[in-house]
Amino acid sequence: MKTPQALTLSRVFPANAFESDKGRGRVWSKLRRDKAGLLGLVIVTVFLLLSLGVLFGWLGQGWSIADGGRWEPMSVNHWLGTNLLGQDIFQRAVFSTRTAFEIGLAVSLLSTLLGALLGALAGWYNTKLGGNWVDGSILWLMGVLDSIPFYLFVAAVAYALQGWPWAMHVAMIVTFWTTTGRLVRAEVMRIKSRGFVLSSRAIGLPVPVILIRHVLPNTLHILLVQASMAFVAAIKTEVILSFLGLGVQDSVSWGMMLAESTQEVLAGHFNNFLTASFMLFILLLGFNLLADALQDAFDPRQASL
Amino acid sequence: MRIILHNIIHGLLLILGVTLISFLLMVWFGPDQTYTLIGKNATASQIMEVRHELNYDQPFMRRYLDYLVELFTLDLGASNSSGEQVNSILRRTLPVSLALMLPGFIIGNLLGIVLGLIAAFRKGTWSDRLITGLSVTGMSISFLIIIIGLQVLLSTPYGLNLFPVRGWQVEDLSSYLAYVTVPTLSLILVTLGYNTRFYRAVFIEESSREHIRTARAFGASPATLMWRHVLKNSLVPITTRIMFSIPLVVISGSLLIESYFGIPGIGKVSFDAITSGDQPILKAVVGLTAVIFVLIQIATDFIYRLVDPRIS
């Protein structure tokens, strides 16, 4: 909530005047008061620790061992029962945390990076009168990528690069960057006429240095929120691609477990389905809450909406 | 006039880009069908013949230009695997997909608008918090989980067992309702969170405008305020969202729903075409979606200019 004083001030000095107090301290203190956001942070941290445990070989290592019977119920040996092949569902669910973070981090980091760079370039070279070829072609590329039905495109990329373990990641990175790109472009167009940018141009810094050292750090609030949203989108898309048979290879993921379960549930075996759904839901909820809290903390104008 | 011309050129460039990328991806790097079409022990000349029939021996530009001509004359050729004309496949599958997706699409948007209005209107109260909380929850559930869950709960002996498990044998209204209910509910549930959040933000933005405050000061009742002032003035973002999501929901959404429930619509046909390398179908689906998408973009822009003189 804005105080009456801030309201009057914001009328006198609209928007930009408050940029100076957009410091880290204020963001963090706002984040700390956001209970839902903290819950999100806790959930994400727990899952991150879990995935590190898998990465270092402490957890979930028995995911592919088929030492149980088909569809065993819960027991001391197999905490959440076994699947069709007699593999331990608990182990598989835990191991999948690592898969989820691999996909989520790779896709969200790279797509955000790509969006930041191309968006900043487009915004920098935008002349408002139109006609600059850099801005024009980046905009055109975004328009083209957004006009192709998403799943069809991802499926086609994943299929064209089939057999290559990163096909799915590439498909998602190539499509996910456009949203970040548009937002960064708009923000760069806004800040490129501000004092610090003009002065760095005046002292003759080369464009890449200005963009990377001075302009992009000021879009960090967009990048953080977009990255956490891309993480959610990546994991959700992995589920769909796994169901369509284009997902991870030689590994296990919650999407693969759900795809397996589509046949099992009709025969009344729900352990695979419930376990994977639960893990997936909690992690996505955590990331969504975190993304919301970040958005609120960074962007008071949006937050008051 | 200049703006319209500019839009059309812009649209044509977009169509060129989309067709080029999809052509590269799905045709040039797509699966090679030569060896699925001829049997074992083919001679070199037989192989050459099949490749010639499939146009595989033509240079890239030639094949791409042929594709553009096919697209604009709507002469889309015949499917490689079944031999059926692509036009007749589209005529057969498109109505199925529309009948399958439209109810969920419409109800999902209407519910989203209603919930968004309630949340925006009671911003900050417990009902707003409940609605936004449920939206975030809905956004965190995977499409596949919703489909499997609803199928188990509604169509199997483990749940209510009211509807057929899968398939699409529609003859009359009651069989249509039987087959369409579970997919429709899934589509509503999966889109409702996103829709509600989007519409809530739109309505809150609109109700913070000065003219709403003025209307309130003049004593307009809450209902008139919401209905006449906020909703009507938000029609531009609402129509944009709906227009732009139609092609994407119909193609992308039906891809998953139809594959899951085994429904012979356009989504299933295009997915099968990706995996089997049936290029004529793929080229038609992607190309036509792109064209429709660009046409919608031009049309929306044009309508705005007619409706809202502020846009220039």
Side-chain angles (χ1 to χ4, degrees):
Chain A
M1 282 301 290
K2 279 179 181 169
T3 60
Q5 198 187 0
L7 262 177
T8 0
L9 277 175
S10 74
R11 202 130 300 146
V12 182
F13 308 104
N16 294 359
F18 285 89
E19 226 85 46
S20 54
D21 65 5
K22 213 184 222 172
R24 254 185 221 116
R26 206 212 57 208
V27 166
W28 175 237
S29 78
K30 234 183 144 166
L31 209 54
R32 234 177 6 193
R33 268 179 285 134
D34 190 335
K35 275 183 209 136
L38 276 187
L39 178 65
L41 194 63
V42 169
I43 293 174
V44 172
T45 316
V46 168
F47 273 87
L48 182 67
L49 291 178
L50 214 53
S51 74
L52 287 176
V54 177
L55 187 66
F56 292 134
W58 301 325
L59 292 167
Q61 297 305 304
W63 66 273
S64 66
I65 302 168
D67 60 351
R70 164 186 298 197
W71 293 319
E72 270 181 30
M74 295 183 191
S75 66
V76 183
N77 285 334
H78 302 290
W79 292 358
L80 294 174
T82 60
N83 68 359
L84 169 75
L85 299 173
Q87 294 161 321
D88 187 292
I89 289 174
F90 177 73
Q91 298 266 349
R92 289 169 77 75
V94 171
F95 190 88
S96 299
T97 316
R98 175 187 154 180
T99 318
F101 269 86
E102 262 171 20
I103 297 167
L105 283 180
V107 171
S108 69
L109 290 181
L110 290 175
S111 70
T112 310
L113 188 71
L114 193 63
L117 290 178
L118 289 176
L121 271 180
W124 182 259
Y125 287 107
N126 170 281
T127 50
K128 284 215 170 134
L129 300 166
N132 181 279
W133 67 270
V134 177
D135 185 33
S137 30
I138 293 175
L139 267 186
W140 171 80
L141 191 60
M142 294 187 206
V144 166
L145 290 176
D146 288 344
S147 309
I148 304 178
F150 176 63
Y151 286 134
L152 207 57
F153 183 79
V154 175
V157 175
Y159 198 83
L161 302 172
Q162 213 183 23
W164 190 50
W166 299 95
M168 173 179 63
H169 304 67
V170 169
M172 289 194 250
I173 293 166
V174 168
T175 39
F176 284 179
W177 69 272
T178 55
T179 322
T180 315
R182 281 181 204 284
L183 293 171
V184 169
R185 175 176 176 270
E187 183 71 8
V188 169
M189 280 161 62
R190 215 166 61 77
I191 59 183
K192 76 176 176 187
S193 57
R194 298 248 309 272
F196 68 96
V197 181
L198 292 179
S199 6
S200 54
R201 285 176 84 170
I203 59 171
L205 285 183
V207 175
V209 176
I210 303 180
L211 282 183
I212 291 168
R213 299 265 311 266
H214 301 286
V215 174
L216 277 179
N218 282 290
T219 61
L220 198 67
H221 59 291
I222 296 177
L223 301 183
L224 270 175
V225 175
Q226 286 303 308
S228 48
M229 282 157 89
F231 196 105
V232 172
I235 297 182
K236 279 181 131 176
T237 309
E238 187 273 328
V239 174
I240 311 284
L241 288 178
S242 289
F243 169 71
L244 295 174
L246 301 167
V248 290
Q249 293 157 9
D250 306 323
S251 184
V252 66
S253 70
W254 296 321
M256 302 259 290
M257 293 174 70
L258 284 172
E260 279 172 16
S261 78
T262 54
Q263 296 306 316
E264 298 175 349
V265 291
L266 297 181
H269 305 287
F270 301 111
N271 284 2
N272 226 354
F273 171 65
L274 292 177
T275 312
S277 303
F278 177 77
M279 299 285 275
L280 189 62
F281 169 68
I282 298 294
L283 180 60
L284 290 184
L285 188 67
F287 261 101
N288 273 329
L289 292 176
L290 187 64
D292 274 5
L294 284 175
Q295 177 101 49
D296 287 355
F298 277 119
D299 196 345
R301 207 169 48 89
Q302 284 285 326
S304 65
L305 285 184
Chain B
M1 212 36 229
R2 250 191 79 208
I3 294 166
I4 298 174
L5 200 68
H6 174 262
N7 273 343
I8 290 174
I9 293 175
H10 185 73
L12 283 179
L13 283 176
L14 271 188
I15 293 180
L16 276 182
V18 174
T19 48
L20 185 66
I21 287 187
S22 47
F23 181 82
L24 262 174
L25 213 64
M26 296 177 193
V27 180
W28 197 251
F29 290 114
D32 188 322
Q33 273 212 323
T34 317
Y35 301 98
T36 41
L37 286 182
I38 46 178
K40 285 174 184 166
N41 302 328
T43 61
S45 68
Q46 275 175 313
I47 293 176
M48 287 302 288
E49 207 172 293
V50 171
R51 293 187 72 82
H52 181 70
E53 262 169 45
L54 292 168
N55 278 331
Y56 284 177
D57 53 353
Q58 300 290 329
F60 178 82
M61 272 321 279
R62 175 72 194 282
R63 287 176 67 187
Y64 177 57
L65 288 179
D66 281 349
Y67 169 38
L68 286 184
V69 172
E70 281 170 18
L71 210 55
F72 281 98
T73 53
L74 285 181
D75 171 20
L76 300 164
S79 155
N80 283 346
S81 23
S82 66
E84 191 182 354
Q85 286 293 316
V86 174
N87 280 331
S88 98
I89 294 180
L90 291 181
R91 228 173 293 135
R92 181 164 55 83
T93 55
L94 204 54
V96 173
S97 291
L98 288 177
L100 177 70
M101 305 299 287
L102 275 187
F105 181 71
I106 294 171
I107 299 173
N109 273 294
L110 284 180
L111 272 180
I113 290 176
V114 171
L115 289 176
L117 265 182
I118 295 174
F121 195 55
R122 309 213 170 139
K123 200 185 111 190
T125 66
W126 66 267
S127 44
D128 176 31
R129 252 174 259 140
L130 182 69
I131 290 175
T132 36
L134 286 180
S135 312
V136 175
T137 314
M139 286 162 58
S140 308
I141 307 179
S142 162
F143 202 172
L144 195 59
I145 296 179
I146 291 178
I147 295 181
I148 300 176
L150 282 179
Q151 190 191 37
V152 169
L153 289 178
L154 295 175
S155 338
T156 64
Y158 308 104
L160 296 174
N161 205 6
L162 291 173
F163 302 101
V165 176
R166 59 201 309 276
W168 188 260
Q169 270 106 43
V170 174
E171 281 125 26
D172 47 14
L173 187 65
S174 66
S175 63
Y176 171 62
L177 288 178
Y179 281 104
V180 88
T181 308
V182 180
T184 300
L185 286 177
S186 322
L187 189 63
I188 294 174
L189 278 183
V190 82
T191 52
L192 193 57
Y194 291 96
N195 284 340
T196 306
R197 241 168 107 89
F198 174 81
Y199 290 125
R200 175 180 174 274
V202 167
F203 294 138
I204 287 180
E205 166 108 42
E206 192 58 41
S207 39
S208 66
R209 300 248 163 116
E210 307 271 309
H211 72 91
I212 300 293
R213 215 168 37 158
T214 315
R216 186 173 287 156
F218 273 93
S221 75
T224 353
L225 211 60
M226 268 295 139
W227 186 253
R228 190 183 292 164
H229 299 284
V230 175
L231 187 60
K232 275 200 177 163
N233 280 302
S234 310
L235 279 181
V236 167
I238 293 178
T239 23
T240 317
R241 181 178 175 87
I242 291 178
M243 298 267 274
F244 279 103
S245 45
I246 289 175
L248 300 182
V249 166
V250 169
I251 303 288
S252 285
S254 66
L255 190 78
L256 183 65
I257 289 198
E258 287 168 8
S259 308
Y260 190 87
F261 290 103
I263 297 167
I266 189 121
K268 179 147 177 30
V269 165
S270 19
F271 181 67
D272 291 346
I274 290 181
T275 49
S276 67
D278 201 334
Q279 296 175 355
I281 296 181
L282 270 185
K283 289 194 291 189
V285 171
V286 177
L288 289 179
T289 327
V291 174
I292 293 171
F293 203 77
V294 170
L295 288 182
I296 288 177
Q297 251 169 305
I298 296 176
T300 334
D301 197 68
F302 186 67
I303 294 170
Y304 289 167
R305 273 168 221 288
L306 282 182
V307 175
D308 193 339
R310 285 172 304 179
I311 301 174
S312 63

